[in-house]
Amino acid sequence: MLVVILAAAAGLFAGSYTYAMADPTPRNLPTAVVGGYDQARGRAFLDELGKSLGSSVRAHTYPSRAAALNAVENQTVFAVFELRDAGRNVVLDVSSASGASVAELLEQAAPQVGAEVGVRVTVRDVNPLQTGDPRGLAIFYISLAAVIIGFVGAIQLSVHARSLTPLERIAFTLAYAVLGGFAIAATVDWLLGALDLPFAESWSILALTMFASGMTFTMFNTLVGRWAMLPTWGVMVLLGNPSSGGAVSWPLLPSALGIIGRWLPPGASVNAQHTAVYFTGHQHAFPFLVLAGWALVSCTVFWTWRHRHPGGREKESPEDAPDTGTAAEA
């Protein structure tokens, strides 16, 4: 049975990542439009761009470029099309920090479409990636590390510290999450210099991610015992990581994954960390609520059915109590 499960896990692992990342295709790409978008040439450019990308571009009009750029900072749109001179010239402001894969797609498609319809396209990157992370993958990797070490740590506690009481198990999970989050952030920022992190915020996100991941395994360990690795692996690795938006931006993922990923710990972690690093002052509560929700539900389930958890110290039975001499005297 274990041989079959491991073989199936290998195939599913490769399949889930290949399905999500091998051929990223735009499905719902929100963009901002300002200027002469109502002119004939401007409409022709936008229509042809939509066709070239599979009619996936969702253009939202804004009264000014400043308002559109603010929407980029709030991560409601991924790029800004400013149509000038009655639509004859287009300035495309991409944001690599919003999604490197989306920015690259637009940088390639827009000038080609412009040449076809007689529109000059100028591309600018208004929010580039940090020099130590030119592909925008570092945030995905540190979030992946927090997720995997989070539940691997809980597995190690279940194997090598079986006698922990429920409260001790939660406390030690929190302890390694806090220390592990610090180690990840310090390595990436201070040791390697790959990312300039807002250290306290990034540390807290990584620690919360590790704790939520660890307690998720502990919850499943309480509910299904020795088979807990299967649902944990399914939620965190097979489904959670490919749909997180870290390696491929959400607009380029299959639609269902793009929606589901935001509600799982890996996606929430990437979302929160991404905003902390590249969109200072525009942090959203949603990813923190997702991580806290997983942690709270997992802790609640574990505590409620803690008697079913395979670990823990047994309560002292009467026959194991030390002999005080009362019985002998009687």
Side-chain angles (χ1 to χ4, degrees):
M1 180 60 72
L2 285 175
V3 169
V4 172
I5 290 174
L6 290 172
L12 289 171
F13 181 69
S16 64
Y17 277 73
T18 302
Y19 173 67
M21 302 179 186
D23 185 24
T25 303
R27 291 171 173 83
N28 185 5
L29 183 55
T31 60
V33 180
V34 296
Y37 52 84
D38 55 346
Q39 301 294 322
R41 190 165 295 188
R43 288 199 305 271
F45 170 77
L46 293 175
D47 291 343
E48 192 61 31
L49 180 64
K51 292 177 183 178
S52 70
L53 297 178
S55 299
S56 61
V57 177
R58 302 289 181 266
H60 304 276
T61 59
Y62 287 83
S64 65
R65 182 172 179 271
L69 291 177
N70 186 61
V72 172
E73 290 294 315
N74 285 320
Q75 300 179 72
T76 55
V77 299
F78 282 77
V80 177
F81 292 97
E82 184 179 1
L83 283 75
R84 301 175 177 176
D85 303 324
R88 289 188 295 271
N89 290 291
V90 173
V91 176
L92 169 58
D93 291 326
V94 298
S95 173
S96 294
S98 300
S101 50
V102 172
E104 184 177 356
L105 178 72
L106 290 174
E107 287 174 353
Q108 294 174 353
Q112 293 176 359
V113 172
E116 293 175 3
V117 299
V119 172
R120 181 186 176 190
V121 178
T122 304
V123 180
R124 302 181 301 194
D125 195 340
V126 295
N127 197 356
L129 294 163
Q130 295 185 16
T131 55
D133 183 29
R135 301 299 300 171
L137 294 175
I139 289 176
F140 173 64
Y141 291 142
I142 66 175
S143 301
L144 178 65
V147 168
I148 292 180
I149 300 302
F151 68 74
V152 168
I155 293 172
Q156 293 304 303
L157 288 183
S158 70
V159 173
H160 299 292
R162 291 179 58 85
S163 62
L164 292 176
T165 65
L167 186 58
E168 289 171 344
R169 192 170 298 278
I170 294 174
F172 276 100
T173 302
L174 180 61
Y176 77 67
V178 171
L179 291 176
F182 177 85
I184 295 172
T187 299
V188 172
D189 190 343
W190 299 345
L191 182 61
L192 299 178
L195 282 176
D196 182 14
L197 299 174
F199 198 87
E201 186 176 3
S202 291
W203 177 12
S204 66
I205 294 168
L206 292 167
L208 182 56
T209 301
M210 290 186 72
F211 181 70
S213 181
M215 288 310 304
T216 297
F217 172 83
T218 302
M219 173 183 68
F220 286 131
N221 200 201
T222 302
L223 296 176
V224 298
R226 62 181 178 176
W227 300 107
M229 185 58 186
L230 295 180
T232 305
W233 182 263
V235 169
M236 297 296 179
V237 178
L238 295 184
L239 185 59
N241 284 326
S243 65
S244 67
V248 175
S249 300
W250 280 320
L252 305 186
L253 290 172
S255 300
L257 288 182
I259 296 172
I260 294 172
R262 306 172 194 228
W263 292 89
L264 299 177
S269 182
V270 167
N271 190 358
Q273 197 72 252
H274 182 252
T275 304
V277 173
Y278 286 111
F279 299 95
T280 305
H282 295 269
Q283 186 61 268
H284 302 286
F286 178 73
F288 291 93
L289 293 175
V290 170
L291 290 171
W294 276 88
L296 180 60
V297 169
S298 297
C299 287
T300 301
V301 171
F302 167 57
W303 188 262
T304 302
W305 285 282
R306 59 190 181 277
H307 59 281
R308 297 183 53 182
H309 192 276
R313 292 192 291 276
E314 297 290 340
K315 290 184 178 180
E316 191 178 66
S317 59
E319 55 269 23
D320 294 332
D323 187 359
T324 61
T326 304
E329 292 173 359

